[in-house]
Amino acid sequence: MRLLLVEDEPLLAAQLRDALTGAGYVVDGAQDGLEAEYQGLNEPYDLVVLDLGLPGRDGLTVLRNWRQAGQSMPVLILTARDNWHDKVVGIDAGADDYLAKPFHAEELLARVRALLRRAAGHASADICCGPLRLDTRQARIWLDDAPLELTSHEYRVLAYLLMHRDETVSRTELTEHIYAQDFDRDSNTIEVFIARLRRKIPADLIQTVRGLGYRLACPGTAAAR
Ligand code: CA
């Protein structure tokens, strides 16, 4: 899952980035509204954390412009404390949730998890596929009742496939959602991660869809048959 964090206060931005990265997400950062708007229009983020008070262009305008352009990713806005007006206007502008400053990083993480889950159509914090279980709270994946030992990239690939279980996911899509913007991306490495994952889980769970990509085929669901 790849997130955009828009926050102009350097210390807070660094703290939030650490918290989000620690929770297994890939994080791109933006410090002003114009940069944020451009990135949100041009990169396929799974979620955006958007501070409203920004230099360059205010967060509400950025959000409205994204929604007008048809960008539907979940957006969590950060508002000044006790500013109910910002919350109302923000939600009307297309925000999915808000947090008032100051807040605990744990609360941000809980809201991010909930938004990502809902965006992918999952009701529960645990996302299962056959013997696999993604615990979104712990950022861990279990095989039967044992935690899988995964590198951070392997985790991101498998977590993305689990969030999109029974859907075909292209290599390009996987690449876009597991690497940060400044990372030297190579979609061939996806094949390497998939090969390693197939040695760690029942190999037939990850199906290759020729010419299209991969699909995590969950036993017992229509798409797996
Ligand atoms: Ca600010």
Side-chain angles (χ1 to χ4, degrees):
M1 298 282 127
R2 184 172 164 212
L3 276 49
L4 176 62
L5 171 63
V6 187
E7 172 56 65
D8 59 310
E9 207 180 303
L11 186 61
L12 181 59
Q15 288 168 347
L16 297 182
R17 177 188 280 265
D18 283 352
L20 291 165
T21 306
Y25 306 113
V26 183
V27 181
D28 287 344
Q31 288 77 40
D32 76 78
L34 291 169
E35 182 191 358
E37 183 173 319
Y38 178 83
Q39 280 176 255
L41 289 174
N42 290 285
E43 298 289 332
Y45 292 109
D46 294 294
L47 181 144
V48 179
V49 176
L50 177 66
D51 182 33
L52 291 187
L54 293 171
R57 181 167 289 171
D58 71 276
L60 278 175
T61 305
V62 171
L63 177 56
R64 285 199 190 97
N65 290 344
W66 283 339
R67 295 312 193 211
Q68 251 168 33
Q71 298 292 91
S72 61
M73 69 288 198
V75 174
L76 172 70
I77 54 172
L78 306 180
T79 67
R81 185 160 61 138
D82 294 336
N83 190 337
W84 64 267
H85 185 256
D86 266 7
K87 296 170 193 164
V88 173
V89 175
I91 287 168
D92 281 341
D96 298 274
D97 200 357
Y98 64 83
L99 263 179
K101 294 180 180 179
F103 52 83
H104 287 281
E106 281 305 319
E107 185 175 4
L108 174 78
L109 293 177
R111 287 171 186 270
V112 164
R113 284 195 296 272
L115 287 173
L116 286 171
R117 215 157 64 208
R118 262 183 263 151
H122 301 293
S124 143
D126 285 339
I127 297 166
C128 299
C129 176
L132 292 177
R133 178 168 62 86
L134 167 63
D135 177 348
T136 59
R137 286 160 302 200
Q138 304 290 325
R140 293 220 82 164
I141 300 174
W142 300 70
L143 175 64
D144 294 318
D145 288 318
L148 280 172
E149 293 300 326
L150 301 172
T151 66
S152 60
H153 281 110
E154 289 166 4
Y155 168 79
R156 289 175 197 155
V157 169
L158 190 54
Y160 193 85
L161 289 172
L162 273 157
M163 290 293 277
H164 299 271
R165 61 188 181 189
D166 290 321
E167 293 173 27
T168 300
V169 177
S170 72
R171 267 196 288 172
T172 308
E173 186 178 342
L174 277 173
T175 308
E176 287 174 342
H177 290 267
I178 71 159
Y179 292 122
Q181 194 170 30
D182 49 9
F183 200 88
D184 186 15
R185 298 182 200 174
D186 177 359
S187 68
N188 290 322
T189 58
I190 296 290
E191 278 177 68
V192 176
F193 297 139
I194 295 283
R196 286 197 216 142
L197 285 169
R198 281 177 171 148
R199 288 197 288 272
K200 296 185 178 185
I201 64 174
D204 57 348
L205 280 177
I206 303 178
Q207 298 180 342
T208 300
V209 184
R210 194 177 289 273
L212 293 176
Y214 302 100
R215 180 171 59 213
L216 193 66
C218 307
T221 62
R225 281 179 213 132

